[in-house]
Amino acid sequence: MHVLVHRSLWLLAFLAVALAATIAAAAESDRPNFILFIADDMGAPDSGAYGNRGIRTPRLDRLATEGMRFDRAFLTCSSCSPSRASIITGLYPHQTGAHELHMPLPGDRVTFVELLRAAGYWTVAAGKWHLGPETKPKFDQVIEKQGQWVEALKDRPRDKPFFFWFASTDPHRPYEPNSIPQPHGESDVTVPAYLPDTPEVRGDLALYYDEINRLDGAVGEALDELDRQQAAENTFVLFISDNGQPFPRAKTTVYDSGIQTPWIVRWPARVKPGSVCKSLVSSIDIAPTVCVLAGVSPSPTFEGKNFAPLLANPAATIREYVFAEHNWHDYTAFDRAVRDQRYKYIRSWYTDLPQTPPADAVKSITFQTMLQLGGEGKLLDQLQQCFVLPRPEQELYDTETDPNELFNLASDPSYLATLLRMDTALADWQRKTNDRLPEIRTPDKYDRKTAEPLEPKKKRT
C-alpha cells in the first residue's frame, strides 16, 4: 500500500509539473512577438500606401493592406538620434539627455527593450545604431551592419518570444544614381508644395524615391522570412520613420513635413486588415504600448500613452494633442510645436536665425536651386520659409485647409481663441516636462549656405 501511495503521489506531482509546464508554454506562445522597422529620413506621404503612386513600394503597400494605416502619427522631433532616443525611452527628447544630434543616450534611462528582455524576450537591434554605447547592453544582441535583418530572424532562439529593432540607413543622404535596377524618373515624382518644381528638384526627389524602393525590398525580405518561419500570425509589426524627408522645410523642422511619420501596424492575430486610423498617436506612445501588449508593466518614467485601444477600435481617441521639439542638429535651434486633429501651433525662440535644413540637405541640388532662385527673385513667397528673417515667433496653421502649412494664421484675429488655446497647451506641456531654453546656444557647426565646416571657436584663456 505504501508503495502504491508513493507512486500515486509521484504520478500526481509529475502530472502537476507537466500541466504547469504546458500552461507556461501556452502562455509563452500567446505572447506576441514584435518587429519595429525604422526608416531613416522618410516622409509620411512617400509610399503607395499613403497615396504616392509614383513611388514603388509594393511591400509597404501590402503591409498596409494586411494591417492598419495610421494617418495622424507624429514623432517627438525631426532629428535622427534624438528621435530614436525618444522612441526607446518613452520620453521627450529634452528628457532623455540625448536631445541634440549624436548625443549618446545615458545608460540610466529606462528603455522598453530592457523590460522586455527581463521578461524573457529575445531582443536584437540590427542595422543603423544611433543610440550610443550605454544602450547596447540593454539588448541581447546589437548588429551594426546593414542587410542582417533576415539573418537575425534566422538565428533567433525558437523557445523565446522576440523583439527586433530593425533600423535602415535608407533613404538617408547622400544619394547615388542607379542605386536600384529600375531607377525612378522625374515624371514619377510628386514635388511637395513647399519646394520649387524644377528639373533639379525632381531629379533629387527621384533619387530619394530609389532609396525608399530599396528599403521597401529589405522590409519585404524580412517579412518573407517571418512567413517561412510561420511566425507572422502573432507578430506585431510596426513600420515608422525617425524623421521627415531630408529636404528643405522638412527634416529638422516641426512642420508636419518634418514630424509626421508613416505608421503601419500589421498583427494578423489582432488587427483587422485594410483598416485606417485617423486618431492622433505619437512615437512616445510606442514604449508603453509594446510593454502592455507583452504583458509587461510599463516603466513609470514613460511619458507616452498606450495606443493598443486603437488597434481594436481605430475611431477611439487616446490623446488630444501631440508635441514636438527641435534642438541643435548641425545648426543652432530651439523650436516647439503642439498639434491637435486640425491645428498646428509653433513657437520659435531663436527668431534671429533662418530655418536652415540639415547640412546634407544644404549641400543638395534642391537647396542650392532654392538659393539661386531666391537670389534671382524667382522663389515664390510661400517657398521662402528656410530664408525668412526675422522668423515669426508664433505660427498657426489650419492643416485641414492648408496641409502644407504655408499660410501663417497667427496674426489673424479670427483665430485668436485657437492661438491662445494651443499656446496654453504648449506652455503646460513645457512646464510638466521641465522643458527650458538652454542658457547657452550650441553654435552652428557648418556654414548655412554651403554646409562647409566652420572653424571651432577658440576657448578664452
Side-chain angles (χ1 to χ4, degrees), residues 22-41:
T22 301
I23 293 172
E28 188 76 8
S29 66
D30 288 340
R31 301 170 76 186
N33 306 305
F34 300 91
I35 296 179
L36 176 61
F37 290 107
I38 306 178
D40 196 5
D41 295 5

Side-chain angles (χ1 to χ4, degrees), residues 154-177:
K154 287 180 177 179
D155 294 342
R156 68 179 177 88
R158 301 306 168 96
D159 59 343
K160 288 185 174 185
F162 59 79
F163 169 81
F164 286 102
W165 175 284
F166 284 161
S168 178
T169 56
D170 287 334
H172 197 289
R173 292 182 185 273
Y175 300 143
E176 294 183 4

Side-chain angles (χ1 to χ4, degrees), residues 36-37 42-45 47 49-50 63-64 67-76 87 236-241 259-266 275-277 279-287 289 305 307-308 310-311 318-319:
L36 176 61
F37 290 107
M42 179 179 171
S47 68
Y50 282 90
L63 194 68
M68 182 179 292
R69 189 191 76 210
F70 287 72
D71 286 354
R72 289 189 177 93
F74 295 88
L75 304 159
T76 57
I87 292 167
F236 175 102
V237 174
L238 172 58
F239 177 87
I240 63 170
S241 180
I259 61 169
Q260 191 168 10
T261 176
W263 185 297
I264 303 172
V265 173
R266 190 191 73 175
S275 50
V276 176
C277 179
S279 301
L280 289 171
V281 289
S282 169
S283 58
I284 207 170
D285 301 332
I286 294 172
T289 304
K305 299 178 182 295
F307 73 85
L310 302 180
L311 301 177
I318 64 164
R319 53 168 61 247

Side-chain angles (χ1 to χ4, degrees), residues 359-382:
D360 58 353
V362 169
K363 293 178 182 178
S364 71
I365 187 64
T366 295
F367 187 74
Q368 294 304 313
T369 297
M370 293 174 73
L371 279 176
Q372 181 180 343
L373 291 173
E376 297 172 353
K378 297 179 181 178
L379 193 63
L380 298 175
D381 287 346
Q382 61 264 38

